[in-house]
Amino acid sequence: MRLLVKGGRVIDPSSGLDKLTDILIEDGKIIKVDENISAEAEVVDATGKIVCPGFIDVHVHLREPGFEYKEDIASGTRAAAAGGFTTVCCMPNTNPIIDNVAVASFVRERALRSGVVHVLPIGAVTKQQEGQEISEIADLVAAGCVALSDDGRPVTRADIMRNALEYSKMFDVPVMSHCEDLDLSNGGQMHEGYYSTIYGLKGIPAEAEEVMVGRDISLARLTGARLHICHISTAGSVQLIRRAKREGIRITCEVTPHHLTLTDELVGSYDTDTKVNPPLRSQEHLEALWAGLKDGTIDCIATDHAPHHLESKDCEYELASTGISGLETAIPVIMSLVERGILDMNTMIEKMTVGPAMVLGIDRGHLQEGAVADVTIIDPQAVRRVDPASFYSKGRNNPYKEREYTGWPYATIVAGKVVAREGIIV
Ligand code: DOR
Ligand code: ZN
């Protein structure tokens, strides 16, 4: 099986490549990147399109096993493919939780059978994600987990976090920390600031995140382990991580499309799709996040795709679940930052390809000859309106609904096979 991606602008930030060129794929591998390749192959005409290494999302919730009414591996990976992603890492807050070999193996097998993109499971830091006892890290890594996280909740005990970091070092996997001081965020509905006062909703101060980012940086310094901070949302977090990186601490972090583009003002719609954890912050935080992306403090963009069932969103703001079903709008939303001149195209692609690959330490996110042929093609001219009703994800909770965006995924190629075209699974 040969596939020829022809005539596109190929951007591969891992090598600095940015030119009109062709890519020849055979048996799931990239065999040649060159101008004017002629070969007998199925042709993908990429004229006018942007051709990139396959996009990697280090933070998604696929909900299977246990919450298949919200999402399952089949629907979640279709949402990923339609959204332009070729690899997703799934968080362990399932039921049962991915804290042992059996569940990790189940997820991997299921992904091979019903998934349409690569799925890399993340194992729990602690048993049952209860924060009291470290999970069997060696077993989880042997079963294919690429990182450890109790995402959804923080590891509140510093001694447990310290031990987890200590153990993770033996296997060289990152610990992905959901930074939230529960005493400070307690009962909060949105970012604490001007708008929380106006709207009369209890606030979550930026410090609820920053206090724990600070703690974890101290523990990363102490242990020398690889620390990854999930979904950073505040200026203070950017500053702390920037300083830690300068100090040589092994720390990486991610930011979501929604924290880069939406502010707390939007919560005034009382649309529960704006409810997310950490909460949407104010403009000055957004600007600090943009600066963090540009200067390399922030390593990657991750969706924190968190599909929820209609019932848990179709209710009062206070009662609603937190999360955004984001896989299918990530590219257009990020492209809007490029259009506004906030981010350049190459930086955006870097944060979706080689950036996340480096966070995980995996050999992905580039178009080197011999690499697995994962390719994301974007049509920068495509104009579409966000319509959650047409999502492959079972989660329709998306605050961008009805908005029109320019720049959508054109084709998603996973291991040499076209799995999605213009948002439709093939
Ligand atoms: O908004 C969120 N939703 N934040 C998290 O940390 C967890 C996630 C979920 O699992 O729904
Ligand atoms: Zn989280």
Side-chain angles (χ1 to χ4, degrees), residues 4-5 10 12 15 17 19-25 30-37 51 366-370:
L4 180 58
V5 180
V10 179
D12 181 357
S15 63
L17 180 73
K19 67 172 181 181
L20 289 177
T21 191
D22 301 342
I23 300 175
L24 183 62
I25 293 166
I30 291 170
I31 58 167
K32 202 168 172 192
V33 180
D34 207 351
E35 286 162 63
N36 302 314
I37 300 176
V51 180
H366 60 77
L367 296 170
Q368 247 67 270
E369 291 175 4

mmCIF file with all atom_site columns, all heavy atoms in Angstrom, residues 4-5 10 12 15 17 19-25 30-37 51 366-370:
data_model
loop_
_atom_site.group_PDB
_atom_site.id
_atom_site.type_symbol
_atom_site.label_atom_id
_atom_site.label_alt_id
_atom_site.label_comp_id
_atom_site.label_asym_id
_atom_site.label_entity_id
_atom_site.label_seq_id
_atom_site.pdbx_PDB_ins_code
_atom_site.Cartn_x
_atom_site.Cartn_y
_atom_site.Cartn_z
_atom_site.occupancy
_atom_site.B_iso_or_equiv
_atom_site.pdbx_formal_charge
_atom_site.auth_seq_id
_atom_site.auth_comp_id
_atom_site.auth_asym_id
_atom_site.auth_atom_id
_atom_site.pdbx_PDB_model_num
ATOM 1   N N   . LEU A 1 4   ? 0.660  8.828  -1.613 1.00 0.00 ? 4   LEU A N   1
ATOM 2   C CA  . LEU A 1 4   ? 1.500  9.970  -1.967 1.00 0.00 ? 4   LEU A CA  1
ATOM 3   C C   . LEU A 1 4   ? 0.758  11.264 -1.627 1.00 0.00 ? 4   LEU A C   1
ATOM 4   O O   . LEU A 1 4   ? -0.307 11.544 -2.184 1.00 0.00 ? 4   LEU A O   1
ATOM 5   C CB  . LEU A 1 4   ? 1.838  9.905  -3.467 1.00 0.00 ? 4   LEU A CB  1
ATOM 6   C CG  . LEU A 1 4   ? 2.714  11.009 -4.044 1.00 0.00 ? 4   LEU A CG  1
ATOM 7   C CD1 . LEU A 1 4   ? 4.057  11.101 -3.340 1.00 0.00 ? 4   LEU A CD1 1
ATOM 8   C CD2 . LEU A 1 4   ? 2.909  10.799 -5.547 1.00 0.00 ? 4   LEU A CD2 1
ATOM 9   N N   . VAL A 1 5   ? 1.315  11.999 -0.681 1.00 0.00 ? 5   VAL A N   1
ATOM 10  C CA  . VAL A 1 5   ? 0.727  13.288 -0.303 1.00 0.00 ? 5   VAL A CA  1
ATOM 11  C C   . VAL A 1 5   ? 1.416  14.338 -1.161 1.00 0.00 ? 5   VAL A C   1
ATOM 12  O O   . VAL A 1 5   ? 2.623  14.566 -1.016 1.00 0.00 ? 5   VAL A O   1
ATOM 13  C CB  . VAL A 1 5   ? 0.925  13.571 1.198  1.00 0.00 ? 5   VAL A CB  1
ATOM 14  C CG1 . VAL A 1 5   ? 0.308  14.916 1.572  1.00 0.00 ? 5   VAL A CG1 1
ATOM 15  C CG2 . VAL A 1 5   ? 0.319  12.450 2.054  1.00 0.00 ? 5   VAL A CG2 1
ATOM 16  N N   . VAL A 1 10  ? 4.612  21.559 3.495  1.00 0.00 ? 10  VAL A N   1
ATOM 17  C CA  . VAL A 1 10  ? 4.946  20.631 4.572  1.00 0.00 ? 10  VAL A CA  1
ATOM 18  C C   . VAL A 1 10  ? 5.705  21.378 5.670  1.00 0.00 ? 10  VAL A C   1
ATOM 19  O O   . VAL A 1 10  ? 6.750  21.983 5.417  1.00 0.00 ? 10  VAL A O   1
ATOM 20  C CB  . VAL A 1 10  ? 5.794  19.447 4.039  1.00 0.00 ? 10  VAL A CB  1
ATOM 21  C CG1 . VAL A 1 10  ? 6.166  18.496 5.178  1.00 0.00 ? 10  VAL A CG1 1
ATOM 22  C CG2 . VAL A 1 10  ? 5.024  18.690 2.953  1.00 0.00 ? 10  VAL A CG2 1
ATOM 23  N N   . ASP A 1 12  ? 7.395  20.759 9.316  1.00 0.00 ? 12  ASP A N   1
ATOM 24  C CA  . ASP A 1 12  ? 7.828  19.819 10.354 1.00 0.00 ? 12  ASP A CA  1
ATOM 25  C C   . ASP A 1 12  ? 8.767  20.549 11.316 1.00 0.00 ? 12  ASP A C   1
ATOM 26  O O   . ASP A 1 12  ? 9.968  20.631 11.090 1.00 0.00 ? 12  ASP A O   1
ATOM 27  C CB  . ASP A 1 12  ? 8.540  18.618 9.724  1.00 0.00 ? 12  ASP A CB  1
ATOM 28  C CG  . ASP A 1 12  ? 8.989  17.611 10.783 1.00 0.00 ? 12  ASP A CG  1
ATOM 29  O OD1 . ASP A 1 12  ? 8.792  17.882 11.993 1.00 0.00 ? 12  ASP A OD1 1
ATOM 30  O OD2 . ASP A 1 12  ? 9.550  16.566 10.404 1.00 0.00 ? 12  ASP A OD2 1
ATOM 31  N N   . SER A 1 15  ? 12.414 19.499 12.449 1.00 0.00 ? 15  SER A N   1
ATOM 32  C CA  . SER A 1 15  ? 13.619 19.667 11.624 1.00 0.00 ? 15  SER A CA  1
ATOM 33  C C   . SER A 1 15  ? 13.696 21.058 11.005 1.00 0.00 ? 15  SER A C   1
ATOM 34  O O   . SER A 1 15  ? 14.648 21.371 10.291 1.00 0.00 ? 15  SER A O   1
ATOM 35  C CB  . SER A 1 15  ? 13.607 18.621 10.499 1.00 0.00 ? 15  SER A CB  1
ATOM 36  O OG  . SER A 1 15  ? 12.480 18.843 9.660  1.00 0.00 ? 15  SER A OG  1
ATOM 37  N N   . LEU A 1 17  ? 11.729 22.074 8.747  1.00 0.00 ? 17  LEU A N   1
ATOM 38  C CA  . LEU A 1 17  ? 11.251 21.980 7.360  1.00 0.00 ? 17  LEU A CA  1
ATOM 39  C C   . LEU A 1 17  ? 9.965  22.801 7.182  1.00 0.00 ? 17  LEU A C   1
ATOM 40  O O   . LEU A 1 17  ? 9.031  22.671 7.969  1.00 0.00 ? 17  LEU A O   1
ATOM 41  C CB  . LEU A 1 17  ? 10.982 20.514 7.010  1.00 0.00 ? 17  LEU A CB  1
ATOM 42  C CG  . LEU A 1 17  ? 10.466 20.219 5.590  1.00 0.00 ? 17  LEU A CG  1
ATOM 43  C CD1 . LEU A 1 17  ? 11.582 20.402 4.576  1.00 0.00 ? 17  LEU A CD1 1
ATOM 44  C CD2 . LEU A 1 17  ? 9.909  18.798 5.509  1.00 0.00 ? 17  LEU A CD2 1
ATOM 45  N N   . LYS A 1 19  ? 8.339  23.810 3.477  1.00 0.00 ? 19  LYS A N   1
ATOM 46  C CA  . LYS A 1 19  ? 8.363  24.076 2.033  1.00 0.00 ? 19  LYS A CA  1
ATOM 47  C C   . LYS A 1 19  ? 7.341  23.215 1.290  1.00 0.00 ? 19  LYS A C   1
ATOM 48  O O   . LYS A 1 19  ? 6.797  22.251 1.847  1.00 0.00 ? 19  LYS A O   1
ATOM 49  C CB  . LYS A 1 19  ? 9.769  23.839 1.462  1.00 0.00 ? 19  LYS A CB  1
ATOM 50  C CG  . LYS A 1 19  ? 10.233 22.403 1.486  1.00 0.00 ? 19  LYS A CG  1
ATOM 51  C CD  . LYS A 1 19  ? 11.558 22.294 0.715  1.00 0.00 ? 19  LYS A CD  1
ATOM 52  C CE  . LYS A 1 19  ? 12.053 20.876 0.687  1.00 0.00 ? 19  LYS A CE  1
ATOM 53  N NZ  . LYS A 1 19  ? 13.319 20.702 -0.010 1.00 0.00 ? 19  LYS A NZ  1
ATOM 54  N N   . LEU A 1 20  ? 7.108  23.583 0.035  1.00 0.00 ? 20  LEU A N   1
ATOM 55  C CA  . LEU A 1 20  ? 6.199  22.806 -0.804 1.00 0.00 ? 20  LEU A CA  1
ATOM 56  C C   . LEU A 1 20  ? 6.917  21.527 -1.203 1.00 0.00 ? 20  LEU A C   1
ATOM 57  O O   . LEU A 1 20  ? 7.950  21.572 -1.867 1.00 0.00 ? 20  LEU A O   1
ATOM 58  C CB  . LEU A 1 20  ? 5.831  23.598 -2.064 1.00 0.00 ? 20  LEU A CB  1
ATOM 59  C CG  . LEU A 1 20  ? 4.903  24.798 -1.876 1.00 0.00 ? 20  LEU A CG  1
ATOM 60  C CD1 . LEU A 1 20  ? 4.690  25.515 -3.195 1.00 0.00 ? 20  LEU A CD1 1
ATOM 61  C CD2 . LEU A 1 20  ? 3.555  24.383 -1.283 1.00 0.00 ? 20  LEU A CD2 1
ATOM 62  N N   . THR A 1 21  ? 6.403  20.408 -0.760 1.00 0.00 ? 21  THR A N   1
ATOM 63  C CA  . THR A 1 21  ? 7.077  19.148 -1.069 1.00 0.00 ? 21  THR A CA  1
ATOM 64  C C   . THR A 1 21  ? 6.089  17.982 -0.963 1.00 0.00 ? 21  THR A C   1
ATOM 65  O O   . THR A 1 21  ? 4.955  18.150 -0.519 1.00 0.00 ? 21  THR A O   1
ATOM 66  C CB  . THR A 1 21  ? 8.322  18.956 -0.165 1.00 0.00 ? 21  THR A CB  1
ATOM 67  O OG1 . THR A 1 21  ? 9.096  17.881 -0.651 1.00 0.00 ? 21  THR A OG1 1
ATOM 68  C CG2 . THR A 1 21  ? 7.944  18.686 1.269  1.00 0.00 ? 21  THR A CG2 1
ATOM 69  N N   . ASP A 1 22  ? 6.530  16.828 -1.403 1.00 0.00 ? 22  ASP A N   1
ATOM 70  C CA  . ASP A 1 22  ? 5.664  15.640 -1.379 1.00 0.00 ? 22  ASP A CA  1
ATOM 71  C C   . ASP A 1 22  ? 6.138  14.652 -0.319 1.00 0.00 ? 22  ASP A C   1
ATOM 72  O O   . ASP A 1 22  ? 7.288  14.689 0.111  1.00 0.00 ? 22  ASP A O   1
ATOM 73  C CB  . ASP A 1 22  ? 5.690  14.927 -2.746 1.00 0.00 ? 22  ASP A CB  1
ATOM 74  C CG  . ASP A 1 22  ? 5.227  15.834 -3.876 1.00 0.00 ? 22  ASP A CG  1
ATOM 75  O OD1 . ASP A 1 22  ? 4.577  16.851 -3.586 1.00 0.00 ? 22  ASP A OD1 1
ATOM 76  O OD2 . ASP A 1 22  ? 5.528  15.511 -5.039 1.00 0.00 ? 22  ASP A OD2 1
ATOM 77  N N   . ILE A 1 23  ? 5.237  13.775 0.071  1.00 0.00 ? 23  ILE A N   1
ATOM 78  C CA  . ILE A 1 23  ? 5.588  12.725 1.044  1.00 0.00 ? 23  ILE A CA  1
ATOM 79  C C   . ILE A 1 23  ? 5.100  11.396 0.487  1.00 0.00 ? 23  ILE A C   1
ATOM 80  O O   . ILE A 1 23  ? 3.919  11.241 0.170  1.00 0.00 ? 23  ILE A O   1
ATOM 81  C CB  . ILE A 1 23  ? 4.922  12.972 2.414  1.00 0.00 ? 23  ILE A CB  1
ATOM 82  C CG1 . ILE A 1 23  ? 5.379  14.311 3.001  1.00 0.00 ? 23  ILE A CG1 1
ATOM 83  C CG2 . ILE A 1 23  ? 5.233  11.838 3.383  1.00 0.00 ? 23  ILE A CG2 1
ATOM 84  C CD1 . ILE A 1 23  ? 4.681  14.688 4.290  1.00 0.00 ? 23  ILE A CD1 1
ATOM 85  N N   . LEU A 1 24  ? 6.015  10.455 0.400  1.00 0.00 ? 24  LEU A N   1
ATOM 86  C CA  . LEU A 1 24  ? 5.638  9.114  -0.058 1.00 0.00 ? 24  LEU A CA  1
ATOM 87  C C   . LEU A 1 24  ? 5.614  8.162  1.131  1.00 0.00 ? 24  LEU A C   1
ATOM 88  O O   . LEU A 1 24  ? 6.560  8.111  1.932  1.00 0.00 ? 24  LEU A O   1
ATOM 89  C CB  . LEU A 1 24  ? 6.628  8.610  -1.127 1.00 0.00 ? 24  LEU A CB  1
ATOM 90  C CG  . LEU A 1 24  ? 6.287  7.239  -1.748 1.00 0.00 ? 24  LEU A CG  1
ATOM 91  C CD1 . LEU A 1 24  ? 4.951  7.260  -2.477 1.00 0.00 ? 24  LEU A CD1 1
ATOM 92  C CD2 . LEU A 1 24  ? 7.402  6.788  -2.695 1.00 0.00 ? 24  LEU A CD2 1
ATOM 93  N N   . ILE A 1 25  ? 4.505  7.439  1.219  1.00 0.00 ? 25  ILE A N   1
ATOM 94  C CA  . ILE A 1 25  ? 4.290  6.530  2.346  1.00 0.00 ? 25  ILE A CA  1
ATOM 95  C C   . ILE A 1 25  ? 4.133  5.115  1.816  1.00 0.00 ? 25  ILE A C   1
ATOM 96  O O   . ILE A 1 25  ? 3.436  4.895  0.818  1.00 0.00 ? 25  ILE A O   1
ATOM 97  C CB  . ILE A 1 25  ? 3.000  6.959  3.095  1.00 0.00 ? 25  ILE A CB  1
ATOM 98  C CG1 . ILE A 1 25  ? 3.205  8.339  3.758  1.00 0.00 ? 25  ILE A CG1 1
ATOM 99  C CG2 . ILE A 1 25  ? 2.586  5.912  4.129  1.00 0.00 ? 25  ILE A CG2 1
ATOM 100 C CD1 . ILE A 1 25  ? 1.916  9.000  4.215  1.00 0.00 ? 25  ILE A CD1 1
ATOM 101 N N   . ILE A 1 30  ? 6.895  6.490  6.488  1.00 0.00 ? 30  ILE A N   1
ATOM 102 C CA  . ILE A 1 30  ? 7.294  7.542  5.551  1.00 0.00 ? 30  ILE A CA  1
ATOM 103 C C   . ILE A 1 30  ? 8.579  7.067  4.879  1.00 0.00 ? 30  ILE A C   1
ATOM 104 O O   . ILE A 1 30  ? 9.565  6.756  5.571  1.00 0.00 ? 30  ILE A O   1
ATOM 105 C CB  . ILE A 1 30  ? 7.525  8.869  6.301  1.00 0.00 ? 30  ILE A CB  1
ATOM 106 C CG1 . ILE A 1 30  ? 6.178  9.402  6.797  1.00 0.00 ? 30  ILE A CG1 1
ATOM 107 C CG2 . ILE A 1 30  ? 8.220  9.887  5.401  1.00 0.00 ? 30  ILE A CG2 1
ATOM 108 C CD1 . ILE A 1 30  ? 6.263  10.554 7.738  1.00 0.00 ? 30  ILE A CD1 1
ATOM 109 N N   . ILE A 1 31  ? 8.558  6.964  3.550  1.00 0.00 ? 31  ILE A N   1
ATOM 110 C CA  . ILE A 1 31  ? 9.795  6.483  2.927  1.00 0.00 ? 31  ILE A CA  1
ATOM 111 C C   . ILE A 1 31  ? 10.547 7.592  2.179  1.00 0.00 ? 31  ILE A C   1
ATOM 112 O O   . ILE A 1 31  ? 11.741 7.475  1.952  1.00 0.00 ? 31  ILE A O   1
ATOM 113 C CB  . ILE A 1 31  ? 9.588  5.233  2.028  1.00 0.00 ? 31  ILE A CB  1
ATOM 114 C CG1 . ILE A 1 31  ? 8.589  5.502  0.912  1.00 0.00 ? 31  ILE A CG1 1
ATOM 115 C CG2 . ILE A 1 31  ? 9.161  4.027  2.853  1.00 0.00 ? 31  ILE A CG2 1
ATOM 116 C CD1 . ILE A 1 31  ? 8.633  4.387  -0.133 1.00 0.00 ? 31  ILE A CD1 1
ATOM 117 N N   . LYS A 1 32  ? 9.830  8.672  1.856  1.00 0.00 ? 32  LYS A N   1
ATOM 118 C CA  . LYS A 1 32  ? 10.532 9.739  1.142  1.00 0.00 ? 32  LYS A CA  1
ATOM 119 C C   . LYS A 1 32  ? 9.819  11.075 1.317  1.00 0.00 ? 32  LYS A C   1
ATOM 120 O O   . LYS A 1 32  ? 8.597  11.148 1.202  1.00 0.00 ? 32  LYS A O   1
ATOM 121 C CB  . LYS A 1 32  ? 10.586 9.381  -0.347 1.00 0.00 ? 32  LYS A CB  1
ATOM 122 C CG  . LYS A 1 32  ? 11.681 10.058 -1.121 1.00 0.00 ? 32  LYS A CG  1
ATOM 123 C CD  . LYS A 1 32  ? 11.806 9.405  -2.487 1.00 0.00 ? 32  LYS A CD  1
ATOM 124 C CE  . LYS A 1 32  ? 12.757 10.152 -3.389 1.00 0.00 ? 32  LYS A CE  1
ATOM 125 N NZ  . LYS A 1 32  ? 12.652 9.684  -4.765 1.00 0.00 ? 32  LYS A NZ  1
ATOM 126 N N   . VAL A 1 33  ? 10.594 12.104 1.599  1.00 0.00 ? 33  VAL A N   1
ATOM 127 C CA  . VAL A 1 33  ? 10.066 13.466 1.626  1.00 0.00 ? 33  VAL A CA  1
ATOM 128 C C   . VAL A 1 33  ? 10.896 14.234 0.618  1.00 0.00 ? 33  VAL A C   1
ATOM 129 O O   . VAL A 1 33  ? 12.094 14.447 0.822  1.00 0.00 ? 33  VAL A O   1
ATOM 130 C CB  . VAL A 1 33  ? 10.202 14.100 3.038  1.00 0.00 ? 33  VAL A CB  1
ATOM 131 C CG1 . VAL A 1 33  ? 9.649  15.523 3.037  1.00 0.00 ? 33  VAL A CG1 1
ATOM 132 C CG2 . VAL A 1 33  ? 9.487  13.258 4.081  1.00 0.00 ? 33  VAL A CG2 1
ATOM 133 N N   . ASP A 1 34  ? 10.261 14.606 -0.508 1.00 0.00 ? 34  ASP A N   1
ATOM 134 C CA  . ASP A 1 34  ? 11.036 15.220 -1.589 1.00 0.00 ? 34  ASP A CA  1
ATOM 135 C C   . ASP A 1 34  ? 10.091 15.968 -2.530 1.00 0.00 ? 34  ASP A C   1
ATOM 136 O O   . ASP A 1 34  ? 8.891  15.699 -2.548 1.00 0.00 ? 34  ASP A O   1
ATOM 137 C CB  . ASP A 1 34  ? 11.781 14.119 -2.366 1.00 0.00 ? 34  ASP A CB  1
ATOM 138 C CG  . ASP A 1 34  ? 13.048 14.653 -3.021 1.00 0.00 ? 34  ASP A CG  1
ATOM 139 O OD1 . ASP A 1 34  ? 13.240 15.889 -3.019 1.00 0.00 ? 34  ASP A OD1 1
ATOM 140 O OD2 . ASP A 1 34  ? 13.829 13.829 -3.520 1.00 0.00 ? 34  ASP A OD2 1
ATOM 141 N N   . GLU A 1 35  ? 10.697 16.858 -3.328 1.00 0.00 ? 35  GLU A N   1
ATOM 142 C CA  . GLU A 1 35  ? 9.879  17.588 -4.297 1.00 0.00 ? 35  GLU A CA  1
ATOM 143 C C   . GLU A 1 35  ? 9.569  16.705 -5.501 1.00 0.00 ? 35  GLU A C   1
ATOM 144 O O   . GLU A 1 35  ? 10.402 15.892 -5.906 1.00 0.00 ? 35  GLU A O   1
ATOM 145 C CB  . GLU A 1 35  ? 10.616 18.853 -4.734 1.00 0.00 ? 35  GLU A CB  1
ATOM 146 C CG  . GLU A 1 35  ? 10.599 19.927 -3.651 1.00 0.00 ? 35  GLU A CG  1
ATOM 147 C CD  . GLU A 1 35  ? 11.661 20.993 -3.853 1.00 0.00 ? 35  GLU A CD  1
ATOM 148 O OE1 . GLU A 1 35  ? 11.604 21.688 -4.865 1.00 0.00 ? 35  GLU A OE1 1
ATOM 149 O OE2 . GLU A 1 35  ? 12.554 21.087 -2.989 1.00 0.00 ? 35  GLU A OE2 1
ATOM 150 N N   . ASN A 1 36  ? 8.377  16.889 -6.042 1.00 0.00 ? 36  ASN A N   1
ATOM 151 C CA  . ASN A 1 36  ? 7.977  16.195 -7.273 1.00 0.00 ? 36  ASN A CA  1
ATOM 152 C C   . ASN A 1 36  ? 8.243  14.696 -7.291 1.00 0.00 ? 36  ASN A C   1
ATOM 153 O O   . ASN A 1 36  ? 8.880  14.181 -8.208 1.00 0.00 ? 36  ASN A O   1
ATOM 154 C CB  . ASN A 1 36  ? 8.666  16.839 -8.492 1.00 0.00 ? 36  ASN A CB  1
ATOM 155 C CG  . ASN A 1 36  ? 8.323  18.313 -8.600 1.00 0.00 ? 36  ASN A CG  1
ATOM 156 O OD1 . ASN A 1 36  ? 7.153  18.684 -8.470 1.00 0.00 ? 36  ASN A OD1 1
ATOM 157 N ND2 . ASN A 1 36  ? 9.323  19.144 -8.787 1.00 0.00 ? 36  ASN A ND2 1
ATOM 158 N N   . ILE A 1 37  ? 7.787  14.016 -6.286 1.00 0.00 ? 37  ILE A N   1
ATOM 159 C CA  . ILE A 1 37  ? 7.910  12.550 -6.294 1.00 0.00 ? 37  ILE A CA  1
ATOM 160 C C   . ILE A 1 37  ? 6.885  12.015 -7.286 1.00 0.00 ? 37  ILE A C   1
ATOM 161 O O   . ILE A 1 37  ? 5.724  12.430 -7.268 1.00 0.00 ? 37  ILE A O   1
ATOM 162 C CB  . ILE A 1 37  ? 7.606  11.952 -4.902 1.00 0.00 ? 37  ILE A CB  1
ATOM 163 C CG1 . ILE A 1 37  ? 8.586  12.491 -3.852 1.00 0.00 ? 37  ILE A CG1 1
ATOM 164 C CG2 . ILE A 1 37  ? 7.652  10.413 -4.945 1.00 0.00 ? 37  ILE A CG2 1
ATOM 165 C CD1 . ILE A 1 37  ? 8.301  12.028 -2.430 1.00 0.00 ? 37  ILE A CD1 1
ATOM 166 N N   . VAL A 1 51  ? 0.656  20.471 5.548  1.00 0.00 ? 51  VAL A N   1
ATOM 167 C CA  . VAL A 1 51  ? 0.898  19.064 5.878  1.00 0.00 ? 51  VAL A CA  1
ATOM 168 C C   . VAL A 1 51  ? 1.861  19.003 7.069  1.00 0.00 ? 51  VAL A C   1
ATOM 169 O O   . VAL A 1 51  ? 2.950  19.562 7.022  1.00 0.00 ? 51  VAL A O   1
ATOM 170 C CB  . VAL A 1 51  ? 1.494  18.329 4.659  1.00 0.00 ? 51  VAL A CB  1
ATOM 171 C CG1 . VAL A 1 51  ? 1.753  16.870 4.980  1.00 0.00 ? 51  VAL A CG1 1
ATOM 172 C CG2 . VAL A 1 51  ? 0.573  18.455 3.440  1.00 0.00 ? 51  VAL A CG2 1
ATOM 173 N N   . HIS A 1 366 ? 7.233  13.758 14.078 1.00 0.00 ? 366 HIS A N   1
ATOM 174 C CA  . HIS A 1 366 ? 8.129  14.271 13.036 1.00 0.00 ? 366 HIS A CA  1
ATOM 175 C C   . HIS A 1 366 ? 7.891  13.498 11.741 1.00 0.00 ? 366 HIS A C   1
ATOM 176 O O   . HIS A 1 366 ? 7.221  12.463 11.742 1.00 0.00 ? 366 HIS A O   1
ATOM 177 C CB  . HIS A 1 366 ? 9.587  14.154 13.463 1.00 0.00 ? 366 HIS A CB  1
ATOM 178 C CG  . HIS A 1 366 ? 10.023 12.751 13.747 1.00 0.00 ? 366 HIS A CG  1
ATOM 179 N ND1 . HIS A 1 366 ? 10.315 11.849 12.740 1.00 0.00 ? 366 HIS A ND1 1
ATOM 180 C CD2 . HIS A 1 366 ? 10.186 12.077 14.909 1.00 0.00 ? 366 HIS A CD2 1
ATOM 181 C CE1 . HIS A 1 366 ? 10.659 10.694 13.282 1.00 0.00 ? 366 HIS A CE1 1
ATOM 182 N NE2 . HIS A 1 366 ? 10.575 10.793 14.602 1.00 0.00 ? 366 HIS A NE2 1
ATOM 183 N N   . LEU A 1 367 ? 8.455  14.015 10.658 1.00 0.00 ? 367 LEU A N   1
ATOM 184 C CA  . LEU A 1 367 ? 8.245  13.402 9.345  1.00 0.00 ? 367 LEU A CA  1
ATOM 185 C C   . LEU A 1 367 ? 9.542  12.847 8.772  1.00 0.00 ? 367 LEU A C   1
ATOM 186 O O   . LEU A 1 367 ? 9.737  12.824 7.558  1.00 0.00 ? 367 LEU A O   1
ATOM 187 C CB  . LEU A 1 367 ? 7.634  14.433 8.379  1.00 0.00 ? 367 LEU A CB  1
ATOM 188 C CG  . LEU A 1 367 ? 6.240  14.964 8.737  1.00 0.00 ? 367 LEU A CG  1
ATOM 189 C CD1 . LEU A 1 367 ? 5.863  16.140 7.849  1.00 0.00 ? 367 LEU A CD1 1
ATOM 190 C CD2 . LEU A 1 367 ? 5.189  13.857 8.632  1.00 0.00 ? 367 LEU A CD2 1
ATOM 191 N N   . GLN A 1 368 ? 10.435 12.428 9.631  1.00 0.00 ? 368 GLN A N   1
ATOM 192 C CA  . GLN A 1 368 ? 11.696 11.829 9.172  1.00 0.00 ? 368 GLN A CA  1
ATOM 193 C C   . GLN A 1 368 ? 11.416 10.570 8.348  1.00 0.00 ? 368 GLN A C   1
ATOM 194 O O   . GLN A 1 368 ? 10.450 9.851  8.640  1.00 0.00 ? 368 GLN A O   1
ATOM 195 C CB  . GLN A 1 368 ? 12.529 11.415 10.395 1.00 0.00 ? 368 GLN A CB  1
ATOM 196 C CG  . GLN A 1 368 ? 13.816 12.173 10.609 1.00 0.00 ? 368 GLN A CG  1
ATOM 197 C CD  . GLN A 1 368 ? 13.625 13.634 10.963 1.00 0.00 ? 368 GLN A CD  1
ATOM 198 O OE1 . GLN A 1 368 ? 13.570 14.438 10.060 1.00 0.00 ? 368 GLN A OE1 1
ATOM 199 N NE2 . GLN A 1 368 ? 13.518 13.965 12.238 1.00 0.00 ? 368 GLN A NE2 1
ATOM 200 N N   . GLU A 1 369 ? 12.243 10.315 7.354  1.00 0.00 ? 369 GLU A N   1
ATOM 201 C CA  . GLU A 1 369 ? 12.099 9.078  6.592  1.00 0.00 ? 369 GLU A CA  1
ATOM 202 C C   . GLU A 1 369 ? 12.272 7.889  7.538  1.00 0.00 ? 369 GLU A C   1
ATOM 203 O O   . GLU A 1 369 ? 13.180 7.874  8.363  1.00 0.00 ? 369 GLU A O   1
ATOM 204 C CB  . GLU A 1 369 ? 13.114 9.049  5.445  1.00 0.00 ? 369 GLU A CB  1
ATOM 205 C CG  . GLU A 1 369 ? 12.744 10.093 4.383  1.00 0.00 ? 369 GLU A CG  1
ATOM 206 C CD  . GLU A 1 369 ? 13.750 10.250 3.241  1.00 0.00 ? 369 GLU A CD  1
ATOM 207 O OE1 . GLU A 1 369 ? 14.745 9.504  3.193  1.00 0.00 ? 369 GLU A OE1 1
ATOM 208 O OE2 . GLU A 1 369 ? 13.514 11.144 2.417  1.00 0.00 ? 369 GLU A OE2 1
ATOM 209 N N   . GLY A 1 370 ? 11.375 6.938  7.430  1.00 0.00 ? 370 GLY A N   1
ATOM 210 C CA  . GLY A 1 370 ? 11.411 5.784  8.330  1.00 0.00 ? 370 GLY A CA  1
ATOM 211 C C   . GLY A 1 370 ? 10.424 5.899  9.483  1.00 0.00 ? 370 GLY A C   1
ATOM 212 O O   . GLY A 1 370 ? 10.149 4.916  10.168 1.00 0.00 ? 370 GLY A O   1
#
